[in-house]
C-alpha cells in the first residue's frame, strides 16, 4: 500500500505558526465609536454588549480607551440633537461629529475616519433626500416601501459633498460615504479637492448590501428608516456580479479604499474585490455579526473570544486589508 500524502505533518506544534498564511494585527482594525449629542451620560447599547453611545464631552476619553488597546483608527458615528427632513445637522459646523472630531484630533493621535451618510440625521431615517422633500409625515411617504419612497439621488450628492467637507474641516483624516448614492465618490472627491483636501482619502462603502445584519446598529445610531426599507439603494444580497459593477464605478470615480459590508456573509464578495481590483479592501464586520456571537456566548453555546478572533481572521483570509469591527478593542487587547 502506498503511503497517503500527509498535510498533517505541517500542523504539529512548532511548525504551525511558520506556515500560517494569515495574521491579524491591531493595526488592521478600525473601532467604531458612537457620539451622542442627546445625552450627557454614557448610554449602553443593549443589542451590542460592551458598546456605548458617549456624550460629546466623552469623545476624547472614548478614543483614548481604543488607543490603549493598540487599535490606531476609529470610525466616528454621530447621533444629532435634532433630525429634520434634509438632515441639516449632518453638515453643521457645530454638529455632533464635527465637534467630536475636532476634539479627538486636538487631543489624541488617533486616525479619524468619519461615516458620511444622512440616515442618522433625517427624520425619515433614509440615506438621502426624499424626492418630494417631505418627511415621514408627508402623505406620499406613509407606509410605502415602493413607489412613495424615492430618494432624489442627485440632490443628495450635494448634501454628501457638504458633509464631507465639514468633516474634513473638523480634521477628519478620511471620509467613508455609506449611503450607496450613485456618483457619491466622484462628487465627494471633487468637493474635497476644491476645498484643498486633496489628501483626504475616500473609503467607499462600495458594495453595501441591504442586510438584516444591521439591526443592532440601527438601535445604536438611531438610524432605522421610519417607513419602508433600503432595498432601492442598498444592494440585493442575491447579487455578486452587481458588486463588481458597483466597485468598478467607485474605482473609476477615484475611491482610495473599497469596502464590502457586511463581512462574514459576504466573504465571496471580499475575495472577488481583492482579486479583481488594485485597491486596498476594507470589510465591515457589522453589528449583527457582533451581536449574534455575544448572544450565543451568553447562552454558553459559543466561546466569544475564540469565535470573534476566528471571524476576523477569516475576513482577512478572504482578502480584507482592514476591518471595521466592534471586536477591535477586545481582539487587540489579546494580541
Ligand atoms: C449608514 C450605516 C449603517 C451602518 C454603517 N453605516 C446602517 C445602515 O445602512 O442601515 C451599519 C453598521 C452596522 O450594522 O454595524 N450610515
Amino acid at each position: 500500500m502506498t503511503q497517503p500524502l500527509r498535510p498533517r505533518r505541517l500542523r504539529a506544534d512548532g511548525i504551525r505558526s511558520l506556515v500560517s498564511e494569515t495574521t491579524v494585527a491591531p493595526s488592521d482594525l478600525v473601532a467604531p465609536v458612537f457620539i451622542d449629542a442627546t445625552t450627557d451620560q454614557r448610554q449602553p447599547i443593549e443589542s451590542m454588549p460592551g458598546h456605548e453611545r458617549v456624550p460629546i464631552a466623552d469623545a476624547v476619553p472614548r478614543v483614548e480607551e481604543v488607543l490603549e488597546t493598540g487599535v490606531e483608527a476609529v470610525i466616528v458615528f454621530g447621533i444629532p440633537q435634532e433630525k429634520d427632513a434634509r438632515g441639516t445637522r449632518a453638515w453643521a459646523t457645530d454638529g455632533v461629529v464635527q465637534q467630536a472630531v475636532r476634539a479627538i484630533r486636538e487631543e489624541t493621535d488617533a486616525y479619524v475616519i468619519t461615516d458620511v451618510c444622512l440616515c442618522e440625521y433625517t427624520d425619515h431615517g433614509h440615506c438621502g433626500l426624499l424626492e418630494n422633500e417631505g418627511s415621514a409625515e408627508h402623505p406620499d411617504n406613509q407606509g410605502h416601501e415602493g413607489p412613495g419612497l424615492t430618494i432624489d439621488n442627485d440632490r443628495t450628492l450635494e448634501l454628501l459633498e457638504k458633509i464631507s467637507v465639514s468633516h474634513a474641516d473638523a480634521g477628519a483624516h478620511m471620509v467613508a460615504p455609506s449611503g450607496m448614492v450613485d456618483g457619491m465618490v466622484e462628487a465627494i472627491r471633487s468637493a474635497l479637492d476644491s476645498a484643498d483636501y486633496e489628501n483626504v482619502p475616500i473609503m467607499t462603502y462600495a458594495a453595501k448590501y441591504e442586510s438584516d445584519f444591521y439591526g443592532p446598529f440601527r438601535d445604536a445610531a438611531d438610524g432605522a428608516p421610519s417607513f419602508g426599507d433600503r432595498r432601492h439603494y442598498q444592494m440585493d444580497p442575491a447579487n455578486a456580479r452587481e458588486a463588481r459593477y458597483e466597485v468598478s464605478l467607485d474605482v473609476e470615480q477615484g475611491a482610495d479604499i473599497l469596502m464590502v459590508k457586511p463581512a462574514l456573509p459576504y466573504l465571496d464578495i471580499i475575495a472577488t474585490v481583492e482579486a479583481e481590483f488594485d485597491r486596498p479592501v476594507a470589510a465591515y464586520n457589522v453589528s449583527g455579526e457582533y451581536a449574534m456571537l455575544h448572544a450565543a456566548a451568553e447562552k454558553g453555546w459559543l466561546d466569544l473570544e475564540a469565535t470573534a478572533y476566528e471571524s476576523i481572521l477569516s475576513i482577512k483570509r478572504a482578502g480584507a486589508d482592514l476591518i471595521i469591527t466592534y471586536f477591535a478593542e477586545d481582539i487587540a487587547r489579546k494580541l
Side-chain angles (χ1 to χ4, degrees), residues 126-330:
H126 283 288
C127 306
L129 273 181
L130 299 186
E131 196 113 86
N132 53 33
E133 218 176 280
S135 66
E137 282 75 52
H138 192 285
D140 283 0
N141 293 330
Q142 298 281 312
H144 281 289
E145 40 170 62
L149 167 59
T150 314
I151 301 264
D152 188 330
N153 188 89
D154 297 4
R155 275 169 57 241
T156 298
L157 290 175
E158 296 162 26
L159 305 188
L160 298 182
E161 294 171 17
K162 291 198 222 194
I163 300 172
S164 302
V165 171
S166 78
H167 288 179
D169 283 341
H173 289 105
M174 175 154 83
V175 295
S178 64
M180 289 298 279
V181 182
D182 292 340
M184 66 184 183
V185 173
E186 183 172 39
I188 291 171
R189 183 72 272 154
S190 73
L192 289 173
D193 290 351
S194 327
D196 284 339
Y197 293 120
E198 60 283 329
N199 290 322
V200 171
I202 299 173
M203 175 162 69
T204 172
Y205 288 66
K208 178 172 178 179
Y209 286 88
E210 204 261 312
S211 170
D212 276 306
F213 286 97
Y214 305 150
F217 174 92
R218 292 179 184 174
D219 299 339
D222 199 12
S226 62
F227 62 94
D229 54 43
R230 304 208 206 283
R231 79 176 74 174
H232 296 144
Y233 42 101
Q234 297 180 349
M235 283 182 49
D236 182 346
N239 294 353
R241 180 177 52 206
E242 187 189 0
R244 297 197 293 274
Y245 179 50
E246 276 281 2
V247 172
S248 72
L249 295 178
D250 283 5
V251 169
E252 278 170 29
Q253 293 171 45
D256 298 281
I257 300 179
L258 309 170
M259 197 198 301
V260 175
K261 175 182 175 193
L264 285 181
Y266 298 87
L267 293 180
D268 58 325
I269 308 297
I270 295 172
T272 301
V273 175
E274 199 276 329
E276 297 192 15
F277 299 92
D278 296 326
R279 295 286 187 290
V281 180
Y284 200 138
N285 176 230
V286 302
S287 56
E289 300 174 55
Y290 178 82
M292 66 184 176
L293 295 191
H294 269 275
E298 247 169 55
K299 286 188 174 271
W301 293 346
L302 285 178
D303 177 332
L304 181 63
E305 206 182 291
T307 52
Y309 180 76
E310 186 178 330
S311 299
I312 301 308
L313 185 70
S314 297
I315 295 165
K316 272 214 80 182
R317 190 197 61 238
D321 299 286
L322 59 137
I323 301 168
I324 302 173
T325 176
Y326 304 97
F327 290 118
E329 293 159 88
D330 295 334

Side-chain angles (χ1 to χ4, degrees), residues 80 82-95 98 118 121-123 159 162-163:
E82 284 135 36
K83 305 185 187 224
D84 57 32
R86 288 166 51 81
T88 52
R89 295 301 297 168
W91 61 86
T93 311
D94 63 346
Q98 291 80 357
L118 280 161
Y121 301 87
T122 51
D123 54 8
L159 305 188
K162 291 198 222 194
I163 300 172

